[in-house]
Amino acid sequence: MTDPESSPEKIHYICQTYVETTAGRNGQTDLKIAKQFEYSTASEAQNRAEREALSKDCAGADAYMVTEDPTSGEVGDPSFLVRLGNVPEIDGY
């Protein structure tokens, strides 16, 4: 029988891309999440972010990792691996 108290945290490696959108009458541009990809390693997420950031449709891309407590389902704050192009401020998370 497995002790749930000893369950290791699960790590998620994410590549998230952004597109610019024009909001309201003032024409102010905002960033919107376009795509999210999950990978099994940090390097895979970072490589995807680097490729996506080169796309003409992509304003910017983040690669980050988060840890999840499998017993509670709580997810921690992101730890960024790379931030490329036009991305949201970190305190916006």
Side-chain angles (χ1 to χ4, degrees), residues 2-89:
T2 307
D3 179 7
E5 294 295 317
S6 65
S7 294
E9 291 183 326
K10 181 171 180 172
I11 299 175
H12 300 274
Y13 299 99
I14 310 292
C15 167
Q16 183 167 289
T17 66
Y18 305 94
V19 292
E20 289 182 342
T21 60
T22 304
R25 289 183 234 172
N26 63 4
Q28 182 178 352
T29 59
D30 289 325
L31 289 175
K32 177 180 147 189
I33 295 172
K35 304 177 203 170
Q36 272 188 333
F37 306 96
E38 185 169 352
Y39 291 96
S40 53
T41 68
S43 63
E44 288 174 323
Q46 185 170 338
N47 289 341
R48 181 63 181 258
E50 290 169 354
R51 287 193 315 272
E52 290 289 330
L54 296 174
S55 167
K56 67 179 172 84
D57 298 328
C58 181
D62 281 330
Y64 60 92
M65 60 179 267
V66 292
T67 56
E68 176 188 359
D69 180 336
T71 56
S72 69
E74 288 185 29
V75 177
D77 291 332
S79 176
F80 291 94
L81 305 168
V82 67
R83 306 195 86 210
L84 304 163
N86 188 6
V87 294
E89 295 293 324

